[in-house]
Amino acid sequence: MCKFIFVTGGVVSGLGKGITAASIGRLLKSRGVKVASQKLDPYINVDPGTMSPYQHGEVYVTEDGSETDLDLGHYERFINVDLNRYSNLTAGKVYWNVLNRERKGEYLGKTVQVIPHITDEIKNYIYNAVRLDDPDVLICEVGGTIGDIESQPFLEAIRQIGLENSNEALYIHVTLVPYLSGSDEHKSKPTQHSVKQLQGMGIRPDIIVLRCDESLSEDIFDKIALFCNIDRNCVIENRTLSTIYEVPLMLEKQHLAEIICEKLSLKHHDIDLSEWKHIIYKAKHPKHEVTIGIVGKYVQLHDAYLSIIEALHHAGYDLSCKVKINWIDSQTVTARNVSNKLKDCDGIIVPGGFGDRGIEGMIVTANHCRLNRIPYLGICLGMQVAAISFARNVLKLKDANSREFDPASKNKVIDFLPDQSDTTDKGGTLRLGSYPCVLRKGTVIRKAYKMTTILERHRHRYEFNNDYRNSFNDNGMIISGTSPDDHIVETIELKDHPFYVGVQFHPEFRSRLNHPHPLFMSLLKEALKRH
């Protein structure tokens, strides 16, 4: 029978509930416990797919094509599992499903209410995740902060699951312990109030995790244990560290997973974190350093490119290399200043995005990397702008563009996807999820992967225009990877360049701490050669 761990947050948002939940998953999995993860988001959007990255960071895509919250990326990277459509639920999806059922008459004329109809929908989603994955433990994070109106139906739902599964559910509450410099002390009162609010919702936390920047004194732990009616050993410190991947090790020292296993009567074997510890050691003792420029349109919010950041770190740790990131707003890049903008970069990534803002700066960047043999990795939109840049500057198609960016252009190097793509609520087409790609023999990308056929996750609405294949191949831009039916161009690369690769998919979603992605590894290896 599956056990449940529910992670809630209090005092302020952005405390790192996702990292806490992911770290617990890593510690349990390292003990041989089968773990599944889930995130419940209180916002009314059906999914984050239509949200600006400035609102909620990157949109993470699962193997089955679900557009989800970025915390699912942390779950996959820490626990090394592939999540699915039941791994992320929003309030919008809940109300959408309930209202559709009401319109179809499935409630048999009853008055549709938050309790039981909304809460039942939430519970069904949680139970469906269990049925699909059949885990020993489901770790379920509730987004938002205790006291938010939007979170209340989710809290009620997880309270009911605790009643329905006696002694099989455990509640962990993550709160902030602020430090006041004026009085030179940490304050426990916000945590006390947060726990009181949670108890008012009918949920008594079994474990309290305290977020702080510096170590807490013992009296803080004693005070919170006393006033929150909880055992002292169940008050855990989660201190800010140099890398998020140290968090599982810190929590293990405080015996958090042992406490969880005891409370839930989980069968487990002795833990083995030797590989994890070795990677963290390499991360903290780099032998080299490189600077990678990320030329994007959402660089003001680094979470918009969170998986790319982590993929760079994974590759850097493996190569004993510190990766410094130079954030470059593509709107500020021009033909006149591109040399100066990129002068400190050993390699360049142009990441994904939608819309025409900042596109010309990306095109200029791609051309500069081509001419100056700078290692270049174009991801999704980054591949498309590399194709446009090549068409303009090598094929001399001066108005080369895409159907999105310049509908009047006769030279649409990037065009709409074929009609069979998944329809989205935006009214367009979007190719989502994992698709196969066949790599051409003798290419840089084939050498990087050491495989003939790969599976990668996609999120795009446009594709390379096949009318230009021969022109590209004949002039030095190789079509190095395609869909198995050879219809969709998946990867391109520049001939006689150390590393100039564009991919239609998002390799960052498949990078793991102990399995860095081959494309990021190859980019960093070439970047290191420039020193």
Side-chain angles (χ1 to χ4, degrees):
M1 184 176 181
C2 179
K3 319 273 187 174
F4 298 90
I5 298 173
F6 295 107
V7 181
T8 58
V11 184
V12 296
S13 61
L15 280 178
K17 296 191 304 295
I19 299 298
T20 301
S23 298
I24 292 168
R26 164 47 53 186
L27 294 176
L28 292 177
K29 185 173 182 180
S30 297
R31 285 174 162 83
V33 178
K34 185 179 179 182
V35 175
S37 294
Q38 188 178 56
K39 173 75 182 292
L40 309 179
D41 278 305
Y43 52 75
I44 306 299
N45 303 66
V46 174
D47 61 45
T50 58
M51 295 171 69
S52 165
Y54 288 127
Q55 290 286 311
H56 218 250
E58 74 175 4
V59 175
Y60 193 79
V61 179
T62 59
E63 286 286 298
D64 61 5
S66 296
E67 295 176 291
T68 71
D69 180 78
L70 58 80
D71 273 322
L72 269 69
H74 289 311
Y75 303 158
E76 290 203 348
R77 288 186 286 269
F78 274 68
I79 309 172
N80 200 13
V81 295
D82 290 332
L83 301 178
N84 54 64
R85 66 187 184 279
Y86 290 118
S87 301
N88 193 198
L89 177 65
T90 68
K93 191 176 294 183
V94 171
Y95 285 99
W96 178 277
N97 291 344
V98 169
L99 290 173
N100 278 329
R101 288 200 178 101
E102 186 274 331
R103 291 290 82 191
K104 294 176 183 177
E106 293 184 17
Y107 295 117
L108 304 178
K110 294 179 180 178
T111 301
V112 179
Q113 298 175 292
V114 172
I115 302 172
H117 302 100
I118 297 298
T119 51
D120 280 353
E121 182 68 21
I122 296 169
K123 289 193 298 181
N124 286 337
Y125 219 85
I126 294 171
Y127 287 135
N128 281 337
V130 171
R131 281 189 282 268
L132 183 63
D133 293 324
D134 190 28
D136 299 321
V137 174
L138 175 70
I139 302 173
C140 183
E141 175 194 350
V142 181
T145 308
I146 297 302
D148 294 346
I149 292 175
E150 297 92 339
S151 299
Q152 290 180 6
F154 292 94
L155 295 172
E156 172 60 21
I158 67 172
R159 182 192 71 82
Q160 292 180 21
I161 288 179
L163 285 177
E164 295 166 3
N165 300 269
S166 180
N167 301 319
E168 307 293 339
L170 182 142
Y171 299 92
I172 298 177
H173 193 50
V174 182
T175 73
L176 175 70
V177 179
Y179 171 75
L180 297 185
S181 58
S183 57
D184 188 28
E185 61 180 341
H186 287 94
K187 289 294 186 179
S188 67
K189 193 63 72 176
T191 294
Q192 295 176 42
H193 283 299
S194 182
V195 170
K196 183 179 179 180
Q197 280 187 298
L198 186 61
Q199 290 172 335
M201 297 293 298
I203 298 173
R204 177 185 178 275
D206 300 282
I207 296 170
I208 297 176
V209 175
L210 307 178
R211 280 289 288 118
C212 52
D213 289 329
E214 298 176 357
S215 294
L216 301 173
S217 61
E218 189 61 33
D219 67 301
I220 290 289
F221 292 97
D222 293 337
K223 183 182 291 187
I224 288 173
L226 177 63
F227 286 100
C228 295
N229 194 28
I230 191 171
D231 292 338
R232 164 61 187 87
N233 69 330
C234 293
V235 183
I236 305 294
E237 180 184 87
N238 185 351
R239 193 173 64 256
T240 301
L241 299 170
S242 59
T243 168
I244 58 174
Y245 298 108
E246 287 186 86
V247 175
L249 303 180
M250 175 180 61
L251 298 180
E252 177 63 17
K253 288 181 180 178
Q254 300 175 75
H255 310 290
L256 175 57
E258 292 178 23
I259 295 168
I260 291 172
C261 288
E262 182 179 348
K263 284 183 174 291
L264 290 177
S265 300
L266 282 170
K267 295 180 180 179
H268 61 93
H269 57 59
D270 292 339
I271 193 168
D272 181 8
L273 289 172
S274 55
E275 181 186 33
W276 199 270
K277 290 177 180 178
H278 177 66
I279 296 172
I280 299 304
Y281 178 84
K282 292 179 71 175
K284 300 181 78 170
H285 299 86
K287 299 176 182 177
H288 317 285
E289 181 175 302
V290 294
T291 299
I292 301 297
I294 296 182
V295 183
K297 56 200 297 183
Y298 314 115
V299 294
Q300 288 80 5
L301 181 67
H302 297 174
D303 273 1
Y305 305 113
L306 182 60
S307 291
I308 289 176
I309 296 169
E310 296 308 317
L312 284 170
H313 289 323
H314 299 164
Y317 299 160
D318 191 80
L319 296 170
S320 296
C321 172
K322 180 181 179 181
V323 180
K324 293 178 63 179
I325 296 177
N326 187 5
W327 296 97
I328 302 169
D329 187 343
S330 62
Q331 293 181 97
T332 67
V333 180
T334 65
R336 290 185 176 183
N337 68 16
V338 63
S339 295
N340 187 55
K341 288 278 186 180
L342 306 186
K343 66 179 181 179
D344 298 324
C345 299
D346 302 303
I348 294 293
I349 293 177
V350 175
F354 292 91
D356 59 1
R357 181 174 60 85
I359 294 302
E360 292 301 322
M362 295 180 185
I363 293 171
V364 168
T365 296
N367 192 53
H368 182 80
C369 292
R370 178 183 65 85
L371 294 173
N372 293 278
R373 299 177 64 78
I374 300 172
Y376 175 93
L377 176 59
I379 297 173
C380 197
L381 177 61
M383 184 198 95
Q384 297 176 4
V385 298
I388 293 170
S389 173
F390 187 82
R392 288 184 185 181
N393 295 286
V394 177
L395 303 185
K396 304 304 179 183
L397 303 174
K398 294 301 181 183
D399 70 338
N401 220 306
S402 81
R403 197 164 181 175
E404 178 182 25
F405 307 137
D406 186 1
S409 172
K410 295 179 181 178
N411 299 311
K412 299 183 185 71
V413 179
I414 307 297
D415 211 339
F416 281 123
L417 279 164
D419 294 336
Q420 63 265 30
S421 299
D422 300 323
T423 301
T424 72
D425 294 324
K426 291 183 187 180
T429 54
L430 203 63
R431 191 163 177 248
L432 285 165
S434 185
Y435 288 88
C437 168
V438 179
L439 302 178
R440 182 174 166 182
K441 187 176 181 180
T443 56
V444 168
I445 195 167
R446 173 81 169 263
K447 181 181 177 182
Y449 275 95
K450 299 181 176 64
M451 297 171 66
T452 303
T453 302
I454 59 173
L455 278 171
E456 292 285 3
R457 301 181 194 181
H458 296 67
R459 185 177 182 250
H460 63 107
R461 185 170 287 114
Y462 297 84
E463 66 169 353
F464 184 92
N465 189 340
N466 286 324
D467 292 344
Y468 293 93
R469 277 204 195 188
N470 291 337
S471 297
F472 270 65
N473 273 315
D474 293 346
N475 288 276
M477 183 68 86
I478 301 167
I479 308 301
S480 54
T482 64
S483 56
D485 63 3
D486 199 42
H487 181 74
I488 296 179
V489 173
E490 292 277 15
T491 73
I492 60 175
E493 63 182 62
L494 195 62
K495 187 178 180 181
D496 300 326
H497 189 288
F499 189 86
Y500 191 98
V501 174
V503 297
Q504 188 60 80
F505 43 79
H506 288 267
E508 67 271 24
F509 293 150
R510 293 183 65 90
S511 183
R512 303 288 183 263
L513 182 66
N514 57 342
H515 295 291
H517 195 281
L519 288 181
F520 290 90
M521 289 286 289
S522 297
L523 175 70
L524 291 193
K525 286 177 181 177
E526 289 301 327
L528 281 166
K529 292 178 182 178
R530 294 173 62 84
H531 282 259

